[in-house]
Amino acid sequence: MYSSIVIYLFIYFSMEELIRQGLPGVDEATIENVIEHLKDLGMIYTEDCQYVEEAYLTHLLKPIHVKKLLSFFKKFSSETIAQPNIVYNLEFEEKNNKVVTESPVPFFSSSAVPSIIDPLASTSTFDSSFGYVNEPNKNWADSFIIPWSSFPREVATECDNKKRLRKTVYSEMVRILAENISRINPSPGRNNLRIIAKKVVARYPETFEDRCGDSIIGGCSTLMKKIEHCLENRNRRKDFSDLFEIKPNDSKIKKTSRNSYACSNWQPNQLPDGESKASQLQHKNFLLKEHKKLVRDEETIKQLMITTYASQRYTINSKNSVKVIKEEWPTLFETDYFINHAALLLGRQSICDTICNNIISKGKIIYDFFKTMQNNSTVSKCLNVIESAKVQLESTIPEIFGGILLIPAFFGEEENALFQINMDPVSTTELEINQERLTPFISTSGGNIFTAQEFLILIDGSVALQTTDFKLAMALLVLSFFVFNIEYPEKAGLTMEFIQRIFADINPQRGSKMPQNGKSTVSKPVLKLVNLLRDFESHFNL
């Protein structure tokens, strides 16, 4: 009697070993330099070798060694990445206890490369440590092993006695079967389910075939539909709180009027159709892996950042620090994906463009208005800084951006609560050392807001976002208060409320992010400045 067992094996190389194999005869010090250099460029996984170019290596290796290594990488990519799995079909003869194997196709034709193999515990397409691995083979259902030992004991008893299963036992068997299938392919399709159902029915026809008298009227179709129905139930939209075990009175996820202020999608209570906790974790791990690659699958990343929005919000709303959030969702801290997240949160697709455009269109009006207030010493001092920048740059751009600096001057608030000026270039590490401020603020690098080479947004003492465009930096600053549930700083609350209402056009009827203004629609000082600006320029409105 024979039974077929399919064991999936894969070749494993560390990135370091791969490079060493491609540079035979090269001294260890040079190899170490190559390894460190490629790591700095972003090469983390062996499959990243396909993206290495000659220009990356010419300053470290002799020309022939460069050619050898790239040739080796090319060979590795074509033979390993294109066909990562070797399937050994083992036929086990129980009676004589013999194992007969079919020889697999050689993994490498080169004898210089040793074959190191590890057995995989399952044929799942997902690895909990690294996210997506190889997609299931098209014929995976043919080699799918029915998990007989996992079924309720009554299944074996009734099958051996050629009896029908009780409904509850049958349902439990189907559930376990569906669970095992979903680990390989969450959406297997009817053809694959039919193949698996046939295996079950063929082994115990008396138990699973549907008969009418002496005629067989079904069995495979019945079981296939039951598995399909079970999978549909597993994949159907689920309540988010159930998936993440949120208790009704759990303070970990607490929606307050200030946290959710102006947000139309603060914490979704449902996942997208077909999503589950397992698939969300799968997507998350894929995103973590892609984030480290030199060349990424941006289309998939873009889609998954939308699909995992609810999970991202859960991490944020669980009161984690920005540092923790960045470790779990690093792609969120890339400018484009951060803006997309904020747009989903606020229900405003073009929110970032709105802020940037309003800075340009309203900044000059604000500047012109404050020029009429020379009697205010703080405003006058700020105007002098703007005039100096205009002369230095030989440009009127400082009039537009300078309008933002004039706002805290008018309210008597501290400009440095929102801006930290570094005239010399500074590194991320330098900015984060001994940083005590927790609320978001902009740090310049290599100049003031008119001349800086770069603008970095710090939150919880960590650099979260960065850009070379001041308008965009202001947009990211405003949006970060909403994305990360942060109140406006007390020393710049009026300034932030004005920027929110005038530049971001975020004007809810109730609520506020001001520390001590939970009910008022608009703070009185903000309303006063808006009215003064409206008197100065009739088209100026909230």
Side-chain angles (χ1 to χ4, degrees):
M1 180 178 178
Y2 293 88
S3 60
S4 293
I5 303 173
V6 178
I7 300 178
Y8 286 76
L9 303 172
F10 69 95
I11 303 299
Y12 172 80
F13 272 105
S14 68
M15 189 266 281
E16 293 85 352
E17 181 61 26
L18 182 70
I19 294 171
R20 286 190 172 89
Q21 292 291 340
L23 291 172
V26 176
D27 64 276
E28 184 62 24
T30 300
I31 291 176
E32 287 294 332
N33 287 336
V34 172
I35 290 172
E36 289 304 312
H37 179 61
L38 291 180
K39 281 183 178 179
D40 289 341
L41 291 177
M43 182 176 173
I44 298 173
Y45 306 101
T46 52
E47 61 262 36
D48 292 339
C49 71
Q50 62 188 307
Y51 306 117
V52 177
E53 298 179 5
E54 185 173 346
Y56 301 163
L57 302 166
T58 51
H59 65 294
L60 294 172
L61 295 170
K62 294 178 180 179
I64 297 300
H65 291 154
V66 173
K67 297 289 185 183
K68 281 185 176 181
L69 184 59
L70 292 179
S71 176
F72 181 80
F73 282 170
K74 184 177 180 181
K75 187 177 185 66
F76 180 87
S77 298
S78 62
E79 297 187 13
T80 311
I81 298 172
Q83 297 177 338
N85 288 334
I86 304 175
V87 179
Y88 288 77
N89 290 315
L90 305 184
E91 287 190 340
F92 180 72
E93 186 178 355
E94 295 178 352
K95 184 176 180 180
N96 297 319
N97 201 30
K98 294 179 181 178
V99 176
V100 182
T101 67
E102 293 181 10
S103 298
V105 177
F107 192 83
F108 278 104
S109 57
S110 171
S111 59
V113 184
S115 295
I116 307 170
I117 55 178
D118 281 334
L120 289 175
S122 74
T123 57
S124 173
T125 60
F126 173 69
D127 180 282
S128 60
S129 301
F130 300 103
Y132 286 98
V133 290
N134 306 305
E135 291 298 319
N137 187 285
K138 289 182 179 179
N139 300 319
W140 66 269
D142 293 325
S143 56
F144 179 83
I145 300 172
I146 307 299
W148 295 106
S149 61
S150 300
F151 295 153
R153 186 176 300 175
E154 192 174 337
V155 173
T157 303
E158 298 301 288
C159 286
D160 287 341
N161 293 329
K162 301 180 180 180
K163 292 183 178 180
R164 309 288 289 180
L165 298 179
R166 289 188 298 114
K167 184 177 180 180
T168 53
V169 176
Y170 199 168
S171 297
E172 179 63 10
M173 187 199 85
V174 169
R175 185 194 66 77
I176 294 170
L177 192 54
E179 189 174 88
N180 279 264
I181 292 169
S182 67
R183 289 174 185 165
I184 299 174
N185 192 335
S187 303
R190 282 195 165 188
N191 287 338
N192 288 319
L193 293 182
R194 189 173 285 108
I195 291 170
I196 293 169
K198 282 182 179 179
K199 290 184 179 185
V200 175
V201 175
R203 182 160 181 175
Y204 296 107
E206 293 85 355
T207 300
F208 295 103
E209 282 181 349
D210 294 334
R211 292 176 176 269
C212 182
D214 294 331
S215 301
I216 299 173
I217 60 173
C220 289
S221 294
T222 301
L223 179 56
M224 181 269 291
K225 289 177 181 178
K226 285 183 179 293
I227 300 171
E228 183 180 52
H229 182 68
C230 186
L231 285 168
E232 286 174 352
N233 284 337
R234 286 174 59 85
N235 293 334
R236 189 169 290 134
R237 181 175 293 188
K238 299 179 181 180
D239 183 79
F240 195 80
S241 62
D242 288 342
L243 286 168
F244 290 90
E245 300 174 354
I246 304 173
K247 298 176 182 178
N249 298 319
D250 191 354
S251 60
K252 189 177 182 182
I253 300 290
K254 187 175 182 180
K255 183 177 181 179
T256 66
S257 59
R258 193 161 286 144
N259 282 347
S260 59
Y261 173 68
C263 299
S264 61
N265 200 15
W266 185 76
Q267 178 61 75
N269 59 9
Q270 291 180 324
L271 294 176
D273 287 331
E275 285 296 309
S276 64
K277 183 177 180 180
S279 65
Q280 290 282 297
L281 291 173
Q282 182 175 346
H283 301 330
K284 180 180 178 180
N285 279 283
F286 174 80
L287 290 167
L288 285 168
K289 183 176 179 180
E290 285 294 301
H291 181 73
K292 300 174 182 178
K293 288 186 176 181
L294 285 170
V295 179
R296 310 190 310 182
D297 183 353
E298 293 295 344
E299 282 300 315
T300 303
I301 291 172
K302 184 177 180 180
Q303 181 57 50
L304 291 185
M305 285 299 289
I306 296 172
T307 303
T308 58
Y309 172 80
S311 293
Q312 295 167 40
R313 291 308 307 167
Y314 179 82
T315 302
I316 294 169
N317 296 336
S318 295
K319 301 180 181 179
N320 288 303
S321 68
V322 167
K323 184 178 181 181
V324 170
I325 298 167
K326 194 172 183 178
E327 289 172 355
E328 294 195 22
W329 300 98
T331 310
L332 175 61
F333 293 83
E334 296 175 20
T335 300
D336 288 344
Y337 294 114
F338 178 82
I339 292 170
N340 289 342
H341 182 100
L344 285 171
L345 175 70
L346 298 168
R348 298 268 301 279
Q349 189 62 39
S350 58
I351 182 64
C352 185
D353 291 338
T354 297
I355 297 172
C356 292
N357 292 336
N358 280 338
I359 288 175
I360 294 173
S361 63
K362 296 180 179 180
K364 179 65 164 60
I365 297 173
I366 294 171
Y367 167 79
D368 289 339
F369 165 74
F370 279 116
K371 283 194 71 174
T372 66
M373 296 184 63
Q374 298 283 355
N375 58 330
N376 184 314
S377 60
T378 308
V379 170
S380 180
K381 183 179 178 181
C382 190
L383 286 168
N384 290 336
V385 172
I386 296 170
E387 293 303 317
S388 297
K390 287 168 60 180
V391 173
Q392 179 185 349
L393 298 175
E394 298 181 350
S395 168
T396 58
I397 291 295
E399 294 180 355
I400 297 172
F401 295 165
I404 292 173
L405 296 182
L406 289 162
I407 298 166
F410 174 83
F411 289 129
E413 294 186 325
E414 297 182 13
E415 176 189 314
N416 60 11
L418 297 177
F419 303 101
Q420 175 181 294
I421 307 301
N422 297 288
M423 297 306 293
D424 296 322
V426 289
S427 67
T428 297
T429 303
E430 289 174 310
L431 285 174
E432 293 178 343
I433 290 177
N434 300 322
Q435 185 58 250
E436 296 180 355
R437 277 195 277 182
L438 299 179
T439 55
F441 69 94
I442 294 175
S443 175
T444 66
S445 177
N448 56 29
I449 70 165
F450 309 115
T451 61
Q453 301 168 8
E454 191 173 27
F455 302 92
L456 303 99
I457 291 82
L458 280 82
I459 311 170
D460 287 350
S462 300
V463 173
L465 299 152
Q466 51 200 84
T467 179
T468 57
D469 183 350
F470 177 69
K471 301 188 303 299
L472 181 56
M474 283 303 304
L476 297 175
L477 176 70
V478 173
L479 296 176
S480 64
F481 284 96
F482 293 90
V483 169
F484 298 113
N485 305 324
I486 301 172
E487 292 181 357
Y488 293 148
E490 190 171 349
K491 295 179 180 180
L494 293 171
T495 300
M496 281 308 305
E497 184 179 347
F498 181 88
I499 291 171
Q500 165 210 311
R501 295 184 182 280
I502 298 303
F503 293 126
D505 288 345
I506 297 176
N507 291 295
Q509 294 183 354
R510 293 182 62 82
S512 171
K513 278 197 171 290
M514 289 281 287
Q516 298 174 348
N517 185 19
K519 296 182 179 180
S520 176
T521 303
V522 185
S523 298
K524 290 181 179 179
V526 172
L527 190 58
K528 177 183 177 181
L529 178 56
V530 171
N531 287 331
L532 288 171
L533 286 164
R534 186 184 292 121
D535 292 339
F536 177 78
E537 170 60 63
S538 59
H539 298 297
F540 198 95
N541 289 303
L542 279 175

